[in-house]
């Protein structure tokens, strides 16, 4: 008795239009909150005003709109529409519009359930080529054709030095055609050359070798050796980069492989998916791993075990994810340690304005944050070294005349100074320190020498072999150096940094040695925290000094206000703990967009930085945090990547691009060739492939070495489209046809009455 | 009201006024032949020098002008006489919070600096030298860490300083066609020509510019504007001289956005005629509306011709084209309903929409950038014209509906103040159905009073925009399906288009059930308009998504 009453009340409730309006309003609020968030201040034009409820609840847009409240709201609306339509709206010519609208919406919802219920979306990166190397007696090796990729085979090292996506063929049937060319530097035990490979034209493979001709240091082997290849037993060829899996959007997985230290080998990578990994909020198991724990964060450990893509395995059982960071990076800092590794922290100020702080290392100049030609930190064993340092601080020219050596000061005198009691005199025209010439860093003094009435200019380097006299009308030549007078020889000594901090003094204090003017170097004692003037404008403060230090690496969590929203999860990390009966090891793993199998599989712009984890039982693993993979319907390769451009051609900028086109081939039972471009996807099996990303040129690469294709299925789209069309038809009927029918009927009645 | 009208008048005429008398060289240099005759290649497009300079200078000065000089002159001047701009306030800082932070870092004890900083706070203009002082650089480095608020404005400042470098300006002035005449090769700077006449003429020009000799400058500009296009003679690569002139003129005339003033006049007159039934005033108002629409149509067609594509690919074009569509629709409605009580209401709403649209693009030239650039690759699709036009047309009609709804609500407020009940003032048959009644010669409820007329107009617009919006959303889904591989991705712009539609679904169903149909229709039409504007403004400029380019 009660049940039918409840049922009737329920049906009556669902028969009211107000209930439908309420459901629509709820849907509106739900959609608004999920999409824009909620404002926390009145300044609605300020991005920080909009707080994302969805992200606080660890949901992507897809998840928010598949959460049960949304499903319930849509189901309630459909039920309400169905009941109202059936009970309240009799089907006739006038109401057919409303019936069609409501039917259309329900059909569309059914289509959406089918679509979103089976939706898989991801992407696959396909390089244009792989370089395959075979040396007699060695296993065949290969690497992806990407800038600076390198692989070693036996005693040989093969490095990709150049990739040219627009190499123009100079001969043959296809002369003038632009093709993809790869240059591989081959370094052997006693020979080296560059092998040039052209994609699709193996017959044009040839070697480039070094020559003795300084005007043309590299030449084709065919010209110098009489044959195209230096060593034809070394076979290098280009093949396609075959991809058979794609990586799912918004997914997570750990990839692990065992390392065999005894032979340097590796096991196979195993993919272990992570389900329900947070994406937006930090989860920290403990504060000790961070430099800035407690800022913008709170302790909130995870305990997520890993899944498998197939059979359960040992690695999966041993691993657990205990932490997640949305935006963090490892940072090394100097802390107190046991070993002598002196470091000072100083601040340079100009007047009252704030200036820069620098960190300087006595034993490793390359770590200094100051310009090493201007500032240095030196550690002395005893105070006698200080005197030597003072002497060697100013720049000088060591001159040898008739076996006698003279130390000549570097001054800006315009007059010539006589060199000792010799017939020579000199003046310094200019000095240039730390010049980069042919990959070397050198220092140069341009000196004018005078002997009697004869004057000439000599370039004096800190490397004596580079010295030369400047003779009018002669080209500089590295092989045939001529001296107008070789009785006088010189070497330039650039001296020490004009601002040198000295540590290790016997009394434990620190000093500042400055040689900024023409006069003698000055020494001042430095007291921590005390400002010392260097020039009239600039002063220096020794903030902190440590002699026994160590470098420690921890994570720095980027505060939320400093995070780039466009970076998404590229800077995310997880903490993985591997446990065995003997103990455990843990590590924070940085996110990888693609889990490349090795360094030589990685491509430009994408990280490959696996973490080594050593377990107490002696096992060692390489682990990598990336995305879950799914099988493609067939292996796919990239035959070519093309760009259509606007007027002026392709300039490297996106603004000059009209379209990107990937010419791909599916290697299924039957090969299928397809061109995928923007707005023109291609279907293979149950998946659609669409143009997603490209490899733009930059300072280090000519680009166009790979393509990224979006991959996704799309079931239920036709149902959704049918529903939409029904809805539009219904609207047209209800708003335009129905009034006309009604009016005609009224008119007929009116005319009938009149008659 | 008088104050407001005066303010609006001043705003309108401000572009024609000259603030101060510039120095003689600046006024005596005539760039016209060069600006209209020489084409510049930039970012995959070839445009007239006039257009190029106008689109380049905002990277440095925003929408401001240096001492009221034309962008065409300032570009040359900064390139040839860079020393003149040392220490001058030429960099525009848009972010007001950032302006305050920068000003606080600069020592303003000197009264001149204090005055300059006050000007900086007001106009946003500051010198490169002040921006590059140690304290300011240190501040910017600190603020840059607050990525969401300051990273982009600071990047813009650095970009402005970089592009104001004369070497950069020289490198950007690509005016020499490639010798091959190929469409697929980049154009070159003057360094790339070996034409002795051009080189000699340029040298004379540069020397005369530096020495401040306007006669020689004008002569050489004229010579070069003949010689340089000749390099491209006989090839299809150099744009037609007539098209270059038209392009220059389009920008010289301020993209015809001053038409808002005519729309404003028509709004005032149409409102008077609608409220007080002044037929003569109404006819004058309609004449002004038609005049404005003709100019508006000219602006849209002109831009279409100059850009070589239908203007709907950026925010400037979307706003101006949407309002144009609304005005054409209103004109047609006025034509059909000229003898009914509904006359003038559609032109009134559309004129208001067009006026707001033109005012917005005039007041926010940086956000609603009028410059013509290439379409993104994803926009090269026929669905751009179908989906986008459906959506922007529906948005315009939603705005026009909100104008009618606002008038309805104002009327109800007045009625309430007078103690009159307006609950029954609504269109009995609805929107389109009321029109059907009228066209059939029957007695329409719309003739009874102004309330029902306003409600009827609101409903007509709501019903049309309802279908257009839904169809536009569906077409967007079809486009997204073959462009991004999925029809619906819950992108904020998609969600708020759906939200706008939901509000109108609520409106239609609420109207069926409530007693005070007119008032609830008006309120919900306004809410729908707010959601639509939220989608167009906040979602586009504050909450980013896949649709942020339009």
């Amino acid at each position: 008795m009660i049940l039918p009453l409840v049922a009737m009340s329920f049906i009556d409730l669902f028969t009211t239009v107000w209930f439908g309006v309420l459901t629509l309003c709820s849907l509106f609020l739900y959609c608004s909150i999920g999409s824009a968030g909620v404002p926390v201040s009145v300044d609605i034009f300020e991005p920080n005003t909009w707080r994302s409820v969805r992200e606080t609840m660890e949901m992507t847009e897809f998840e928010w709109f598949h959460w049960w409240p949304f499903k319930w709201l849509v189901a309630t609306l459909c039920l309400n529409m169905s009941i109202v339509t059936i009970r309240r709206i009799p089907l006739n010519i006038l109401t057919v519009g409303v019936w069609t609208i409501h039917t259309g919406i329900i059909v569309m919802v059914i289509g959406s359930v089918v679509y979103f219920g089976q939706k898989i979306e991801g992407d696959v990166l396909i390089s244009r080529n792989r370089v395959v190397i075979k040396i007699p007696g060695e296993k065949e090796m290969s690497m992806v054709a990407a800038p600076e990729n390198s692989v070693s085979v036996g005693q040989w090292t093969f490095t990709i030095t150049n990739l040219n996506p627009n190499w123009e063929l100079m001969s043959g049937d296809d002369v003038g055609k632009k093709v993809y060319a790869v240059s591989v530097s081959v370094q052997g035990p006693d020979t080296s050359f560059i092998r040039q490979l052209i994609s699709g034209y193996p017959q044009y493979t040839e070697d480039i070798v070094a020559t003795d001709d300084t005007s043309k240091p590299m030449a084709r082997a065919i010209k110098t050796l009489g044959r195209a290849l230096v060593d034809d037993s070394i076979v290098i060829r280009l093949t396609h980069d075959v991809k058979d899996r794609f990586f799912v959007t918004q997914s997570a997985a750990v990839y692990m492989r065992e390392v065999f230290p005894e032979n340097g080998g590796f096991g196979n990578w195993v993919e272990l998916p992570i389900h329900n990994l947070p994406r937006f909020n930090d989860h920290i198991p403990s504060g000790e791993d961070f430099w800035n724990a407690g800022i913008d964060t709170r302790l909130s450990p995870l305990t997520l075990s890993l899944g498998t893509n197939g059979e359960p395995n040992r690695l999966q059982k041993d691993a657990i994810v205990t932490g997640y960071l949305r935006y963090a990076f490892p940072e090394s800092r100097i802390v107190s340690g046991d070993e002598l590794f002196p470091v000072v922290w100083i601040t340079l100020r100009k007047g009252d304005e704030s200036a820069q702080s620098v960190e300087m290392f006595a034993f490793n100049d390359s770590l200094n944050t100051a310009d090493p030609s201007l500032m240095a930190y030196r550690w002395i064993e005893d105070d006698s070294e200080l005197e030597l340092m003072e002497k060697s601080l100013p720049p000088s020219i060591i001159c040898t005349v008739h076996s006698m050596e003279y130390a000549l000061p570097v001054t800006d005198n315009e007059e010539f100074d006589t060199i000792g009691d010799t017939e020579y005199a000199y003046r310094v025209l200019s000095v240039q320190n730390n010049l980069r010439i042919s990959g070397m860093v050198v220092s140069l003094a341009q000196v004018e020498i005078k002997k009697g009435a004869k004057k000439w200019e000599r370039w004096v380097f800190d490397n004596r072999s580079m010295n030369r006299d400047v003779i009018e009308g002669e080209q500089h030549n590295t092989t045939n150096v001529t001296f107008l007078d070789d009785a006088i020889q010189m070497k330039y000594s650039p001296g020490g940094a004009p601002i040198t901090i000295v540590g290790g003094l016997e009394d434990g204090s620190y000093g500042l040695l400055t040689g900024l003017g023409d006069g003698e170097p000055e020494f001042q004692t430095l007291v921590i925290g005390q400002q010392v003037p260097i020039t009239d404008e600039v002063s220096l403060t020794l903030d902190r000094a440590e002699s026994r230090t160590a470098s420690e690496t921890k994570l720095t969590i980027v505060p939320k206000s400093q995070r780039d929203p466009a970076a998404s999860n590229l800077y995310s990390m997880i903490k993985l703990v591997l446990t065995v009966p003997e103990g455990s090891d843990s590590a924070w793993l940085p996110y990888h967009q693609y889990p490349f199998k090795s360094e030589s599989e990685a491509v430009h712009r994408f990280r490959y930085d696996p973490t080594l984890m050593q377990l107490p039982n002696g096992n060692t693993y390489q682990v990598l945090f990336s995305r879950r993979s799914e099988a493609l319907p067939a292996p796919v390769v990239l035959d070519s990547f093309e760009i259509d451009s606007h007027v002026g051609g392709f300039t490297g900028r996106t603004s000059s691009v009209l379209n990107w086109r990937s010419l791909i081939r599916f290697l299924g039972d039957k090969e299928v060739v397809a061109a995928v471009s923007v707005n023109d996807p291609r279907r293979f099996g149950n998946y659609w492939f669409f143009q997603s990303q490209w490899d733009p040129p930059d300072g280090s690469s000519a680009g166009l070495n790979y393509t990224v294709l979006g991959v996704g299925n799309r079931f239920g789209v036709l149902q959704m489209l049918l529903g939409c069309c029904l809805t539009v038809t219904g609207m047209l009927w209800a708003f335009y046809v129905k009034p006309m029918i009604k009016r005609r009927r009224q008119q007929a009645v009116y005319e009938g009455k009149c008659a | 009201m008088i104050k407001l009208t005066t303010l609006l008048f001043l705003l309108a005429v401000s572009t024609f006024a000259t603030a101060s008398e510039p120095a003689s060289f600046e006024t005596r240099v005539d760039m016209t032949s060069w600006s209209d005759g020489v084409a510049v290649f930039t970012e995959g497009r070839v445009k007239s020098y006039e257009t190029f300079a106008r689109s380049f200078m905002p990277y440095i000065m925003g929408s401001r002008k240096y001492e009221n000089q034309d962008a065409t002159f300032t570009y040359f001047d900064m390139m040839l006489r860079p020393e003149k701009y040392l220490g001058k306030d030429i960099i525009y800082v848009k972010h007001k919070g950032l302006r305050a932070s920068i000003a606080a870092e600069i020592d303003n004890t000197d009264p001149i600096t204090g005055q300059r900083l006050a000007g900086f706070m007001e106009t946003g203009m500051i010198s490169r030298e002040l921006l590059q002082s140690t304290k300011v650089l240190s501040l910017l480095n600190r603020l840059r860490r607050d990525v969401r608020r300051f990273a982009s404005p600071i990047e813009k400042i650095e970009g402005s300083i970089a592009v104001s470098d004369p070497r950069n300006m020289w490198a950007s002035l690509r005016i020499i066609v490639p010798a091959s005449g190929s469409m697929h090769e980049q154009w070159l700077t003057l360094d790339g020509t070996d034409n002795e006449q051009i080189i000699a003429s340029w040298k004379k020009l540069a020397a005369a510019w530096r020495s401040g000799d306007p006669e020689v400058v004008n002569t050489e500009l004229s010579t070069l504007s003949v010689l340089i296009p000749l390099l491209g003679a006989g090839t299809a690569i150099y744009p037609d001289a007539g098209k270059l002139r038209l392009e220059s003129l389009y920008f010289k005339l301020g993209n015809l956005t001053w038409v808002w003033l005519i729309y404003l006049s028509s709004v005032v007159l149409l409102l008077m005629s609608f409220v007080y039934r002044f037929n003569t005033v109404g006819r004058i108002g309609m004449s002004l509306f038609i005049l404005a629409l003709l100019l508006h149509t000219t602006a849209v067609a002109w831009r279409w011709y100059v850009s070589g594509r239908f203007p709907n690919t950026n925010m400037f074009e979307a706003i101006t084209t949407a309002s144009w569509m609304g005005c054409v629709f209103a004109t047609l409605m006025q034509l059909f309903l000229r003898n009914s009580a509904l006359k003038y209401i559609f032109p009134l709403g559309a004129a208001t929409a067009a006026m707001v649209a033109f005012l917005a693009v005039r007041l926010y030239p940086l956000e609603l950038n009028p410059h013509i650039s290439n379409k993104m690759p994803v926009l090269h699709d026929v669905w751009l014209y179908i989906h986008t036009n459906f959506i922007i047309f529906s948005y315009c009609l939603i705005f026009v509906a909100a104008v009618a709804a606002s008038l309805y609500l104002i009327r109800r407020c007045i009625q309430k103040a007078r103690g009159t009940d307006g609950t029954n003032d609504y269109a009995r048959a609805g929107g389109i159905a009321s029109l059907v009644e009228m066209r059939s010669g029957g007695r329409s409820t719309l003739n009874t009073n102004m309330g029902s007329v306003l409600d009827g107009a609101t409903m007509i617009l709501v019903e049309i925009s309802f279908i257009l919006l839904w169809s536009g959303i569906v077409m967007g889904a079809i486009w997204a399906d073959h462009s991004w591989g999925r029809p619906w991705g819950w992108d904020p712009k998609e969600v708020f288009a759906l939200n706008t539609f939901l509000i109108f679904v609520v409106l239609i169903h609420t109207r069926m059930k409530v007693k005070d149909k007119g008032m609830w229709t008006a309120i919900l039409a306004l809410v729908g308009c707010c959601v639509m504007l939220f989608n167009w403004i906040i979602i586009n400029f504050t909450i980013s998504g896949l649709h942020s380019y339009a």
Side-chain angles (χ1 to χ4, degrees), chain A residues 454-711:
Chain A
K454 189 178 164 192
K455 290 182 199 169
W456 73 98
E457 186 183 328
R458 178 170 290 180
W459 288 12
V460 184
F461 288 86
D462 52 352
N463 177 351
R464 206 189 288 257
S465 66
M466 295 174 74
N467 288 4
R468 68 204 53 245
D469 285 345
V470 180
I471 302 165
E472 209 169 305
E474 265 194 27
Q475 294 281 327
H476 288 296
N477 191 318
T478 49
T479 49
N480 300 313
V481 175
T482 49
F483 289 105
L484 291 172
D485 184 346
D486 53 11
I488 175 169
Q489 292 183 354
M490 291 175 154
K491 185 186 175 189
Y492 172 53
S493 166
I499 302 167
T500 302
I501 312 291
V502 184
L505 295 165
E506 283 166 10
D507 60 358
S509 66
Y510 289 84
L512 170 66
L513 197 58
T514 48
L516 294 166
D518 289 341
E520 289 294 306
E522 283 181 31
F523 181 80
Q524 304 174 70
T525 302
L526 286 176
V527 177
I528 289 177
Q530 197 172 314
Q531 204 165 321
V532 175
I534 299 176
T535 65
D536 291 344
E537 287 186 327
V538 181
S539 66
L540 178 149
T541 309
L542 177 63
D543 297 321
R544 187 181 152 207
E546 297 274 353
S547 54
R548 296 192 176 273
T549 62
S551 173
E552 190 175 342
T553 303
K554 287 187 178 186
L555 299 177
T556 294
I557 300 168
V558 179
K560 283 186 176 166
S561 65
Q562 296 178 16
R563 298 177 185 180
D564 178 4
S568 184
N569 60 340
L570 282 180
Y571 300 103
S572 63
M573 301 179 101
I574 57 165
K575 184 166 189 178
L576 185 74
V577 179
L578 289 179
T579 309
V580 288
E582 294 84 355
S584 67
D585 187 22
S586 67
W588 281 96
L589 314 180
Y591 176 75
H592 290 68
Q593 184 75 355
Y594 298 100
F596 299 113
K597 287 180 179 168
S598 67
E599 182 89 55
S600 61
E601 298 293 305
V603 299
H604 192 41
R605 283 186 199 87
F606 294 102
R607 179 207 297 260
Y608 175 75
D609 185 18
T611 305
L612 205 64
M613 294 182 76
Q614 288 177 314
L615 295 177
N617 63 4
N619 289 348
T620 305
Y621 295 98
Q622 264 190 347
V623 285
L624 201 147
F625 165 43
S626 185
R627 293 181 290 165
R628 189 165 58 79
S629 72
E630 285 283 339
L632 286 167
V636 61
V637 296
L638 177 68
D639 279 335
S640 184
F641 186 79
E642 296 172 353
I643 286 182
D644 298 336
S645 58
H646 291 286
V647 61
F650 174 56
T651 61
R653 288 183 170 194
T654 308
S655 58
S656 66
V657 177
L658 190 66
N659 200 358
W660 296 282
R661 191 178 306 104
S662 301
L663 304 174
I664 56 170
R665 198 148 38 88
F666 295 100
L667 310 174
D669 299 334
K670 200 176 96 181
E671 284 197 0
V672 177
V673 177
V676 179
S677 63
V678 178
N679 287 320
D680 192 13
R682 286 286 176 269
R683 183 183 174 179
F684 190 88
N686 285 330
Y687 288 100
W688 284 79
F689 293 77
F690 54 98
Q691 186 63 49
S692 177
Q693 291 176 48
W694 66 305
D695 176 22
D698 58 23
S700 61
S701 159
L704 313 186
N705 297 310
Y706 60 82
T707 186
V708 178
L709 298 180
V711 183

Side-chain angles (χ1 to χ4, degrees), chain A residues 115 562 648 679 681 690 714, chain B residues 145 147 183 378 481-482 486:
Chain A
Y115 176 83
Q562 296 178 16
N679 287 320
F690 54 98
R714 49 194 286 286
Chain B
R145 293 183 205 142
V147 176
M183 295 290 278
V378 73
D481 188 36
H482 78 258
R486 60 190 186 31

Side-chain angles (χ1 to χ4, degrees), chain A residues 24 31-32 35 46 50 61 65 115 121 353-354 561-562 646-649 658 679 681 690 714 735-736 743, chain B residues 41 44 134 145-147 149 183 185-186 378 381 432 440 442 467 479 481-484 486-487 490 492 499:
Chain A
L24 285 166
C31 291
S32 303
S35 193
E46 178 62 47
W50 296 94
E61 280 159 338
F65 291 102
Y115 176 83
E121 205 173 29
E353 296 171 1
S354 62
S561 65
Q562 296 178 16
H646 291 286
V647 61
L658 190 66
N679 287 320
F690 54 98
R714 49 194 286 286
F735 289 131
Y736 306 113
R743 188 65 204 158
Chain B
F41 167 82
T134 316
R145 293 183 205 142
D146 191 343
V147 176
R149 282 199 298 167
M183 295 290 278
E185 271 185 45
Q186 280 201 65
V378 73
D381 197 273
I432 304 290
S440 312
I467 298 177
W479 185 14
D481 188 36
H482 78 258
S483 177
W484 297 327
R486 60 190 186 31
W490 300 111
N499 271 348

Side-chain angles (χ1 to χ4, degrees), chain B residues 58-203:
Chain B
Y59 289 121
I60 303 170
M61 300 182 182
S63 56
R64 314 272 171 186
K65 285 181 175 180
Y66 180 75
E67 291 188 348
N68 219 33
Q69 290 171 181
D70 264 353
T72 51
F73 177 88
T74 310
Y75 189 97
F76 259 58
D77 210 30
M78 284 182 75
M79 192 172 68
L80 297 172
R81 295 194 298 188
E83 66 283 353
K84 186 184 151 190
Y85 297 86
L86 290 177
K88 296 286 164 48
D89 295 335
I90 55 166
I91 304 292
Y92 177 65
V93 179
K94 181 169 174 278
H95 197 287
K96 288 189 178 165
L98 194 54
R99 281 183 207 171
S101 304
I102 291 170
E105 286 297 309
I106 298 169
D107 179 15
N108 62 356
T109 45
D110 163 30
I112 298 171
T113 313
Q115 208 174 349
R116 275 178 73 185
L117 289 180
F120 167 56
M121 286 307 296
E122 198 184 319
T123 62
M125 301 301 286
I126 190 169
S127 70
R128 287 172 290 198
E129 290 70 20
L130 283 176
L131 284 172
Q132 286 173 317
S133 66
T134 316
K135 276 190 169 181
V136 174
L137 285 178
S138 160
L139 167 84
L140 297 182
N141 277 334
R142 269 199 324 273
L143 292 179
R144 193 196 301 275
R145 293 183 205 142
D146 191 343
V147 176
R148 289 195 76 177
R149 282 199 298 167
F150 294 120
S152 173
I154 291 171
E155 250 173 47
K156 276 187 185 149
I157 292 175
E158 288 168 348
S160 303
I161 294 171
V163 295
S164 68
D165 187 318
R167 288 166 298 185
N168 221 328
M169 299 177 90
W170 175 257
S172 302
L173 197 63
R174 293 176 177 270
I175 51 178
I176 302 295
V177 293
S180 64
S182 165
M183 295 290 278
H184 300 292
E185 271 185 45
Q186 280 201 65
W187 289 32
L188 310 164
T189 62
L190 275 167
D191 293 327
T193 183
D194 50 7
N195 184 308
E196 285 174 7
Q197 269 181 296
I198 292 177
I199 295 167
S201 182
W202 175 262
K203 279 183 179 168

Side-chain angles (χ1 to χ4, degrees), chain A residues 114-126:
Chain A
V114 173
Y115 176 83
F116 288 111
Q118 300 179 68
K119 184 69 186 168
I120 298 176
E121 205 173 29
D123 53 83
V124 56
L125 184 151
I126 317 168

